[in-house]
Amino acid sequence: MNSTKTWSGRFNEPVSELVKKYTGSIEFDKRLAQWDIQGSLAHAQMLQQAGVLSEEDLAAIRRGMAEISEEIEAGRLQWSLDLEDVHMNIEHRLTGKIGDAGKRLHTGRSRNDQVATDIRLWLRDQISVIQSLIQNLQTALLDLAEQHAETVMPGFTHLQVAQPVSFGHHMLAYVEMLLPRLRAHGRLPEARQPYALGRGRVGGYDLPDPARNHGTELLGFEEICQNSLDAVSDRDFAVEFTAAASLVMIHLSRLSEELILWMSPRFGFIDIADRFCTGSSIMPQKKNPDVPELVRGKSGRVIGHLIGLITLMKSQPLAYNKDNQEDKEPLFDTADTLIDTLRIYADMMRGVTVKPENMRNAVMQGFATATDLADYLVKKGMPFRDSHEVVARAVRRADEAGVDLSALPLQVLQEFSSLIADDVYEVLTPEGSLRARNHLGGTAPEQVRFQTARWRKLLDGTQKAV
Ligand code: ARG
């Protein structure tokens, strides 16, 4: 068995079975196969340009790799733990097919280059998928925002009723959180940063620069790595990506928490379509919001991967260390979890039914327009601190009477301030309160429509650009 190891020449005894299992990565890195082939093809072209491979060698490698690629797609390639990882499995198969040309392919590169390149290529493809899924979710949120530009709900702080906002405005907050460029989503492209293979091995290899530049171009990287040690040992892009993914998951965990609260009968603000919920095996009346609960739970899992990856890099001496093999499973799972979550989330948001009456009732129970009354008094010339005091007393009176501020008769309100006149009732209704917040970033229906239109244009632009 030991003889199949490409490095076995130096060793006196075969590696133990336990060690083979412990150190092998084929079980999980075989999923990089197509990207490994892509990297190898670019490397082969580079070698040919540098005069290391002949035209015939290159043609043989291309033919061999095309066959291997098909075998993998068809599930016909036998992966072997004796060959440790995806790189050696593919190279071994290639050499079996085309002989010496296959053996020449590894000139000027190490597996450490290969793996660093493969993950970058793989990640770049995942990021493209994730970006369009984020845009799809944003579109679902925008649809809700548009439909509910006038639907009043309580805005909360400390989970206590604060001021009326519209449900549309609330949805737009999440659209912003997923904003490309500035927020979580914007950090994703950083993980696409330019790196190239071929700075190979610890000291570099003397491939001429034109050939190396050509390889960089072939793989669609923007620029070449400027330091061979950094090229093979850097995993910042993986950490950056996982950090970005964690932020997206955290944002979704917050929305999930809200959906769960809103769906509980205590709130009764929304309903989630049955296909996203499950029942209880014991209590027949139950309808549980399993999907948002699981998203909340899975956010912990992705954050765990971030901590795992960043800890993996801590104190590693340059350059590559076997520790780095541990980067793949958390990275794969991060992308898988995020992709699945985004997919289901957009669908689920399209299955949300809003219950405007219950939302409005909640606004009416929380003295949500108290700040509007204070603002009203300020407009009539009272200093804000004084108006705050006046309104607090009025709220206490309404509370004692068990009614909303808007239900207090004018004479009662005037006991608190003579500045209060008939027009006060316009600001005391939730709808009046919404209308009054007609400024950039405010909750007025006009503003919500403006933001929705702005976002649609923005997403249209990005979708074309992708
Ligand atoms: N399977 C390894 C990894 O995932 C590939 C690189 C191995 N390099 C080495 N010198 N053992 O990191």
Side-chain angles (χ1 to χ4, degrees):
M1 271 300 120
N2 196 32
S3 59
T4 58
K5 295 276 189 202
T6 52
W7 39 256
S8 59
R10 190 205 174 290
F11 292 81
N12 291 323
E13 59 174 359
V15 81
S16 90
E17 281 303 309
L18 258 183
V19 170
K20 203 156 59 180
K21 274 211 188 107
Y22 194 74
T23 58
S25 56
I26 189 61
E27 266 319 304
F28 49 86
D29 69 12
K30 61 185 174 203
R31 95 179 250 182
L32 291 173
Q34 296 298 353
W35 290 272
D36 193 66
I37 291 175
Q38 204 184 327
S40 285
L41 288 174
H43 186 69
Q45 225 171 302
M46 241 161 56
L47 291 177
Q48 190 268 323
Q49 208 188 347
V52 177
L53 292 180
S54 66
E55 286 279 359
E56 297 74 54
D57 285 341
L58 179 59
I61 289 172
R62 283 182 171 150
R63 181 172 39 82
M65 286 299 201
E67 286 174 23
I68 294 173
S69 175
E70 268 181 46
E71 288 170 11
I72 295 168
E73 285 299 303
R76 274 188 282 116
L77 192 83
Q78 291 289 323
W79 300 106
S80 155
L81 181 62
D82 287 323
L83 292 162
E84 228 176 295
D85 57 26
V86 66
H87 322 293
M88 294 213 282
N89 267 271
I90 291 179
E91 191 189 317
H92 184 260
R93 182 80 184 123
L94 182 71
T95 305
K97 279 177 183 291
I98 65 168
D100 281 356
K103 291 189 197 160
R104 287 195 190 100
L105 175 62
H106 211 54
T107 316
R109 72 172 184 185
S110 73
R111 280 186 290 153
N112 306 344
D113 288 308
Q114 274 183 281
V115 74
T117 305
D118 293 3
I119 313 172
R120 285 172 172 118
L121 289 172
W122 170 83
L123 190 54
R124 195 173 58 183
D125 286 351
Q126 306 310 303
I127 288 170
S128 290
V129 172
I130 289 166
Q131 281 177 325
S132 52
L133 288 173
I134 287 181
Q135 284 168 15
N136 183 35
L137 173 57
Q138 285 177 310
T139 305
L141 295 170
L142 287 175
D143 291 344
L144 278 169
E146 206 158 50
Q147 284 160 35
H148 295 285
E150 315 214 11
T151 305
V152 177
M153 70 175 278
F156 295 96
T157 57
H158 313 270
L159 209 54
Q160 307 292 318
V161 172
Q163 284 183 283
V165 294
S166 73
F167 184 70
H169 189 58
H170 200 114
M171 289 298 103
L172 282 174
Y174 285 101
V175 177
E176 290 291 328
M177 286 160 151
L178 300 166
L179 175 74
R181 298 252 136 253
L182 299 179
R183 300 285 280 271
H185 181 195
R187 294 174 59 79
L188 292 178
E190 285 177 26
R192 306 180 74 149
Q193 275 303 309
Y195 297 94
L197 89 170
R199 270 296 159 188
R201 308 192 295 196
V202 166
Y205 182 79
D206 62 348
L207 273 181
D209 282 345
R212 213 187 312 265
N213 286 334
H214 184 54
T216 308
E217 232 175 79
L218 284 175
L219 293 175
F221 289 124
E222 285 159 40
E223 122 193 344
I224 202 157
C225 287
Q226 301 291 329
N227 183 291
S228 61
L229 298 173
D230 184 41
V232 284
S233 66
D234 170 47
R235 292 292 182 274
D236 285 4
F237 64 95
V239 174
E240 286 279 359
F241 168 76
T242 313
S246 297
L247 281 176
V248 175
M249 289 300 293
I250 287 172
H251 295 331
L252 294 182
S253 80
R254 298 182 71 179
L255 180 53
S256 297
E257 175 73 5
E258 297 200 312
L259 295 177
I260 293 162
L261 285 172
W262 295 343
M263 199 182 117
S264 84
R266 296 270 170 262
F267 279 77
F269 286 3
I270 60 157
D271 206 2
I272 298 178
D274 286 0
R275 63 185 179 280
F276 298 101
C277 301
T278 59
S280 155
S281 54
I282 174 164
M283 292 163 282
Q285 85 284 11
K286 291 277 293 270
K287 177 176 158 184
N288 298 327
D290 278 30
V291 171
E293 285 177 64
L294 211 45
V295 171
R296 200 170 54 178
K298 283 180 191 285
S299 64
R301 166 181 179 144
V302 173
I303 294 162
H305 292 326
L306 171 62
I307 304 301
L309 273 175
I310 203 156
T311 313
L312 178 70
M313 298 316 294
K314 183 189 170 297
S315 311
Q316 265 198 54
L318 294 184
Y320 175 88
N321 300 282
K322 187 74 167 177
D323 311 40
N324 285 350
Q325 182 166 291
E326 286 289 301
D327 63 357
K328 273 164 283 302
E329 286 164 293
L331 198 56
F332 293 162
D333 190 67
T334 296
D336 292 345
T337 306
L338 185 58
I339 286 173
D340 287 352
T341 302
L342 287 167
R343 232 175 231 144
I344 202 163
Y345 224 98
D347 268 9
M348 183 176 66
M349 291 315 290
R350 292 190 170 102
V352 164
T353 317
V354 175
K355 300 177 173 173
E357 212 173 291
N358 292 348
M359 287 185 177
R360 196 175 191 286
N361 287 343
V363 173
M364 297 311 287
Q365 281 160 23
F367 304 108
T369 54
T371 315
D372 296 275
L373 179 56
D375 290 347
Y376 168 91
L377 290 168
V378 167
K379 277 194 194 127
K380 301 236 164 175
M382 188 182 286
F384 182 76
R385 279 288 163 233
D386 294 341
S387 70
H388 186 280
E389 178 62 32
V390 165
V391 176
R393 275 188 275 122
V395 165
R396 202 181 321 151
R397 173 74 67 86
D399 200 19
E400 278 159 15
V403 294
D404 183 56
L405 279 175
S406 59
L408 291 177
L410 187 59
Q411 312 88 280
V412 176
L413 285 170
Q414 282 172 335
E415 283 173 30
F416 299 102
S417 166
S418 57
L419 292 173
I420 296 177
D422 223 7
D423 59 354
V424 73
Y425 292 101
E426 275 164 45
V427 303
L428 287 184
T429 64
E431 290 75 15
S433 165
L434 282 198
R435 271 195 303 276
R437 318 252 164 231
N438 193 5
H439 52 79
L440 191 73
T443 186
E446 214 176 299
Q447 290 297 327
V448 171
R449 291 195 185 100
F450 166 75
Q451 292 293 345
T452 312
R454 184 179 73 86
W455 265 106
R456 289 215 195 272
K457 238 195 249 160
L458 234 125
L459 290 185
D460 257 15
T462 37
Q463 252 144 15
K464 267 174 217 134
V466 166

